[in-house]
Amino acid sequence: MYPQLKRGEVVANREIAPGIFLLGVRGKFAASPGQFYMLRAWELDPPLFRPMSVFALEEEAISFLYEVRGRGTGILSRLSPGKELLLLGPLGRGWDPPARPLALVAGGTGIAPIHFAAQIYGGDAFLGFRGKPYLVESFADWCRTVHVASETGEGGTKGLVTEIFRPEGYRTCFACGPEGMLRELYRLCSEAGVPLFVSVEERMACGLGACLGCAILTSRGPRRVCADGPVFPAEELWGDG
Ligand SMILES: Cc1cc2nc3c(=O)[nH]c(=O)nc-3n(C[C@H](O)[C@H](O)[C@H](O)COP(=O)(O)OP(=O)(O)OC[C@H]3O[C@@H](n4cnc5c(N)ncnc54)[C@H](O)[C@@H]3O)c2cc1C
Ligand code: FES
């Protein structure tokens, strides 16, 4: 599916936790799990689109889950229903159909692409939050089991998601979240011999593979996160080879 630049109408933009918004856009869109769109709801400043993973896809709508971090996401958070924004996508390479059983592990807004993977592939979800969990019930619609950890102990087991997840018994693990969480998962999955595929974030300019602004070094050489990723086998990022 080639990326297209489309205009979409906001149908909802709700703050579901402090600083975390769920944005719904009306229109016909396409994506596979782990892919993302570049969003823009402003004229000149900031100059670049902002990358956002697909949270969910329906026949006539697409949604994104985002945290307000700076100027771009601040503008997004002030969009009210009826307003328009530009969407460029679908972009990147996501998660291929997995060998099952599948474990889905996410931390914070890393739950966005993992939720879309759950919608398409199902599996067992392990979700980690800093404070009160959100959107857990939405995972229950798609997943066989949902396990929750939070650093405060609200709504789940007190602690980190890497403390409630055990990879033994799974044939594939998909994950997205802070790098520290992903590296610890890689350690756990390597010990258990379970292939881990992670979605990573980099600052992006074109989002189309042309500017090399998002290049990272992997065991297979330099790779563009926007075009060769954002999903990579964890061993290519952190393995010895
Ligand atoms: C493929 C991809 C998918 C993403 N999906 C999501 C998502 O589903 N939900 C979500 O909340 N965020 C997601 N992000 C991160 C999101 O794109 C950034 O938070 C956003 O671009 C920040 O824009 P801003 O103008 O608000 O902040 P800026 O003013 O540009 O920056 C504010 C702060 O955020 C940091 N930051 C900016 N861009 C990134 C980035 N790409 N990665 C890490 N830190 C960044 C900056 O270093 C700075 O500290 C994704 C990023 C990528 C590359
Ligand atoms: S953002 Fe331009 S190559 Fe990735």
Side-chain angles (χ1 to χ4, degrees):
M1 162 68 63
Y2 287 108
Q4 294 181 348
L5 182 63
K6 288 189 177 178
R7 207 168 271 283
E9 182 195 332
V10 173
V11 283
N13 193 20
R14 199 162 52 89
E15 187 168 19
I16 54 162
I20 311 276
F21 288 74
L22 188 58
L23 168 69
V25 179
R26 179 176 293 132
K28 260 200 185 329
F29 295 92
S32 54
Q35 286 193 300
F36 67 97
Y37 275 72
M38 297 290 274
L39 306 186
R40 184 182 189 107
W42 49 87
E43 289 295 326
L44 297 175
D45 180 33
L48 301 172
F49 283 63
R50 294 296 190 255
M52 287 297 158
S53 302
V54 176
F55 173 80
L57 189 65
E58 291 158 45
E59 211 162 302
E60 293 291 339
I62 191 166
S63 51
F64 303 91
L65 176 74
Y66 64 94
E67 180 171 11
V68 175
R69 289 197 192 155
R71 186 149 165 72
T73 48
I75 296 172
L76 288 180
S77 72
R78 293 189 289 278
L79 289 176
S80 47
K83 294 281 183 204
E84 288 197 330
L85 74 162
L86 287 172
L87 303 94
L88 173 67
L91 297 167
R93 292 177 53 120
W95 286 289
D96 291 330
R100 293 165 196 283
L102 168 67
L104 301 166
V105 186
T109 49
I111 76 171
I114 288 293
H115 179 272
F116 188 30
Q119 189 184 1
I120 304 299
Y121 298 136
D124 293 326
F126 298 83
L127 311 175
F129 299 87
R130 253 176 271 145
K132 196 170 167 209
Y134 44 84
L135 299 173
V136 172
E137 67 292 347
S138 188
F139 277 84
D141 290 343
W142 310 108
C143 292
R144 196 171 63 162
T145 60
V146 183
H147 310 264
V148 179
S150 74
E151 290 175 36
T152 57
E154 287 171 277
T157 306
K158 190 171 192 311
L160 304 174
V161 69
T162 45
E163 293 165 349
I164 61 166
F165 171 63
R166 286 293 160 265
E168 290 77 12
Y170 291 104
R171 290 183 63 206
T172 317
C173 179
F174 293 168
C176 186
E179 185 173 329
M181 178 203 113
L182 296 179
R183 283 179 178 267
E184 173 61 7
L185 265 185
Y186 177 54
R187 191 186 66 76
L188 295 170
C189 286
S190 311
E191 279 175 11
V194 176
L196 169 66
F197 299 87
V198 297
S199 177
V200 295
E201 289 187 7
E202 261 313 313
R203 300 300 298 255
M204 287 184 181
C206 71
L208 293 162
C211 73
L212 306 185
C214 64
I216 57 169
L217 196 57
T218 74
S219 62
R220 284 153 40 97
R223 288 286 180 272
R224 299 156 304 172
V225 171
C226 68
D228 304 311
V231 171
F232 293 91
E235 64 177 0
E236 286 184 15
L237 303 178
W238 304 307
D240 297 330

